[in-house]
Amino acid sequence: MTRHGDHDERIEVRRGMFGVSGTGDTSGYGRLVREVALPGESPRPYGGYFDAVVDQLAEALSGVDVEFSDAVEKVVVFRDELTLHVRRDQLPQVAQQLRDAPELRFELCLGVSGVHYPEDQGRELHAVYPLKSITHNRRIRLEVAAPDADPHIPSLFSIYPTTDWHERETYDFFGIIFDGHPSLTRIEMPDDWQGHPQRKDYPLGGIPVQYKGAQIPPPDERRAYN
């Protein structure tokens, strides 16, 4: 079952492909126009075990004096996956209840993925956490947004120690700062590297390669279409 809200959130209209402009277009992609939209909030019933997870989380949060609506911005069911969009200040509390509540028991956090939406003003940076319950054989996702001007999200290291390197990698490539991480340093790029290479505003070329002294030219300088 694939469900999502009737009012998806349009954040951008893209023209062409690959983010390249000002060069000769021999591909035919230059005239493409595509809306970029994020799935809107889903109506109930969500289907499958999703309703039970949401209800059980709401009950667990109420037990620690947290209202579900204060912690979760929206519930999205899209392509047969449940995503809880969590307010960043409530992320540790939500994760703690998802891990510890007997009816939930999401014992594993399978990683942290960064996403960059430059046009999503005030919510440019997203962190996504897939969770797995071995006890109940269930999977869900948490998603948290932060503004580019304040790219701070609480670390989940104390709740899910397996996020240690995943948070470091997301920091390295996207610039999200995970507050409370015991050693938030770069994991793949050199310590003094400028910028975060998987952000969409990062240049596609023209970056000096530190170890060989070479330089990759920008896309519009790599080939001439004369």
Side-chain angles (χ1 to χ4, degrees), residues 180-192:
H181 190 284
S183 180
L184 193 64
T185 58
R186 290 190 181 272
I187 194 171
E188 298 200 36
M189 307 302 291
D191 290 341
D192 59 351

Side-chain angles (χ1 to χ4, degrees), residues 11-28:
I11 62 173
E12 184 183 1
V13 177
R14 290 181 182 170
R15 301 180 183 276
M17 289 285 283
F18 314 119
V20 178
S21 60
T23 62
D25 177 23
T26 62
S27 66

Side-chain angles (χ1 to χ4, degrees), residues 152 191 198:
H152 291 264
D191 290 341
Q198 288 190 354

Side-chain angles (χ1 to χ4, degrees), residues 139-226:
R139 287 176 180 259
I140 66 170
R141 274 191 312 211
L142 306 182
E143 185 164 342
V144 183
D148 191 17
D150 181 28
H152 291 264
I153 291 175
S155 172
L156 290 187
F157 174 80
S158 63
I159 301 169
Y160 293 112
T162 53
T163 62
D164 184 1
W165 286 18
H166 298 287
E167 288 182 349
R168 287 180 60 192
E169 184 178 50
T170 305
Y171 160 71
D172 194 354
F173 288 151
F174 289 91
I176 297 175
I177 300 171
F178 293 94
D179 295 329
H181 190 284
S183 180
L184 193 64
T185 58
R186 290 190 181 272
I187 194 171
E188 298 200 36
M189 307 302 291
D191 290 341
D192 59 351
W193 191 264
Q194 299 296 315
H196 303 282
Q198 288 190 354
R199 290 172 55 108
K200 290 188 173 67
D201 55 4
Y202 193 81
L204 295 176
I207 305 298
V209 179
Q210 178 176 349
Y211 302 108
K212 297 184 179 179
Q215 183 166 328
I216 302 171
D220 56 350
E221 297 178 6
R222 296 178 194 174
R223 182 180 301 174
Y225 296 99
N226 297 333

Side-chain angles (χ1 to χ4, degrees), residues 21-137:
S21 60
T23 62
D25 177 23
T26 62
S27 66
Y29 285 116
R31 295 183 180 179
L32 289 180
V33 178
R34 182 171 66 90
E35 290 187 354
V36 178
L38 303 179
E41 185 165 9
S42 300
R44 281 183 182 262
Y46 303 131
Y49 57 79
F50 297 159
D51 291 272
V53 167
V54 171
D55 291 340
Q56 289 156 359
L57 176 59
E59 182 177 351
L61 288 171
S62 68
V64 291
D65 297 324
V66 176
E67 292 291 332
F68 182 84
S69 59
D70 292 336
V72 178
E73 295 178 336
K74 63 179 179 178
V75 178
V76 175
V77 178
F78 185 63
R79 295 181 177 174
D80 301 330
E81 295 180 326
L82 171 66
T83 302
L84 303 177
H85 290 254
V86 180
R87 291 182 172 84
R88 58 176 170 167
D89 60 316
Q90 295 292 334
L91 175 63
Q93 189 70 270
V94 170
Q96 187 85 53
Q97 298 307 314
L98 285 168
R99 189 194 70 177
D100 294 346
E103 300 83 4
L104 295 167
R105 289 292 188 215
F106 285 91
E107 303 99 335
L108 293 179
C109 180
L110 304 176
V112 185
S113 298
V115 191
H116 184 212
Y117 298 107
E119 304 301 326
D120 192 10
Q121 295 185 0
R123 300 170 55 86
E124 292 89 354
L125 296 169
H126 292 229
V128 181
Y129 306 80
L131 304 182
K132 168 74 174 178
S133 171
I134 298 175
T135 300
H136 302 293
N137 192 25

